[in-house]
């Protein structure tokens, strides 16, 4: 009984930290952990959906972590300063393909977002796309949802 209460007091943060146990890559885990702190610091909710244990196949984990970092940075730019914004990251296997998706749900119409110019594909992503010609990268901007998706 007592030890359980103690541990809860010591790590109140873990209650809101997303469950990263299904992410088998330590590098991807550390990206999530550091970005989560950034989201938390500016009051942006972050949800992670990784339904099954998964680790990158057909791609170097360093490249995938670069894609994830870019997606989360873009999401943070988009969500920052908006009330009740939510970032949802999904990473899952669909047949032979792995899908990494980051969706930002905004309280204001994202078409009017000021940060449009920052959200171009950076050189790093272009290099990665060249290295994996079978991969697909998409950015969609619905009224209140900004979605970034990478399939490989």
């Amino acid at each position: 009984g007592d030890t359980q209460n103690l541990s809860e007091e010591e790590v109140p943060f873990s209650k809101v930290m997303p469950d990263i146990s299904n992410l088998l890559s330590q590098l991807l885990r550390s990206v999530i952990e550091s970005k989560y702190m950034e989201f938390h610091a500016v009051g942006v909710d972050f949800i992670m959906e990784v339904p099954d244990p998964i680790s990158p196949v057909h791609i170097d984990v360093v490249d995938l972590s670069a894609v994830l970092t870019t997606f989360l940075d873009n999401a943070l730019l988009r969500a920052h300063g908006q009330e009740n914004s939510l970032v949802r990251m999904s990473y899952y296997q669909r047949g032979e393909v792995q899908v990494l998706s980051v969706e930002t749900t905004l309280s204001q119409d994202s078409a009017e977002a000021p940060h449009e110019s920052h959200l171009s594909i950076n050189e790093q992503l272009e290099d990665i796309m060249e290295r994996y010609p079978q991969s697909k990268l998409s950015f969609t901007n619905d009224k209140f949802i900004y979605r970034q998706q990478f399939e490989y």
Side-chain angles (χ1 to χ4, degrees):
D2 286 351
T3 49
Q4 200 176 357
N5 289 347
L6 184 68
S7 64
E8 275 181 21
E9 280 169 31
E10 279 174 21
V11 284
F13 203 68
S14 65
K15 287 178 183 163
V16 280
M17 178 77 197
D19 175 17
I20 53 175
S21 57
N22 277 341
L23 272 184
L24 304 180
S25 156
Q26 191 55 51
L27 183 58
L28 293 181
R29 283 182 174 196
S30 59
V31 168
I32 297 288
E33 285 172 345
S34 71
K35 290 295 165 194
Y36 175 77
M37 303 295 259
E38 288 182 41
F39 285 122
H40 190 71
V42 296
V44 174
D45 287 327
F46 179 69
I47 297 176
M48 195 176 95
E49 293 168 354
V50 183
D52 302 297
I54 189 167
S55 57
V57 291
H58 317 304
I59 189 170
D60 188 294
V61 67
V62 174
D63 290 333
L64 188 62
S65 74
V67 173
L68 177 59
T69 300
T70 301
F71 280 6
L72 292 175
D73 283 345
N74 285 346
L76 193 60
L77 268 178
R78 260 306 150 89
H80 193 208
Q82 289 218 11
E83 288 175 26
N84 307 320
S85 46
L86 169 70
V87 173
R88 175 186 285 115
M89 175 206 144
S90 319
Y91 181 35
Y92 56 92
Q93 187 91 26
R94 189 174 63 206
E96 291 292 298
V97 176
Q98 287 188 342
V99 180
L100 176 69
S101 166
V102 175
E103 272 185 11
T104 313
T105 306
L106 304 163
S107 54
Q108 298 154 17
D109 188 337
S110 66
E112 298 164 11
H115 299 298
E116 201 68 53
S117 58
H118 294 283
L119 297 169
S120 55
I121 297 176
N122 59 25
E123 278 179 37
Q124 195 178 20
L125 280 195
E126 284 177 359
D127 290 347
I128 291 169
M129 296 305 291
E130 280 174 22
R131 281 203 290 279
Y132 307 98
Q134 82 284 7
S135 63
K136 282 190 294 200
L137 184 66
S138 66
F139 296 89
T140 42
N141 206 1
D142 299 328
K143 230 174 156 44
F144 294 102
I145 295 186
Y146 170 63
R147 181 181 297 110
Q148 309 169 86
Q149 188 159 301
F150 181 63
E151 299 177 32
Y152 59 92

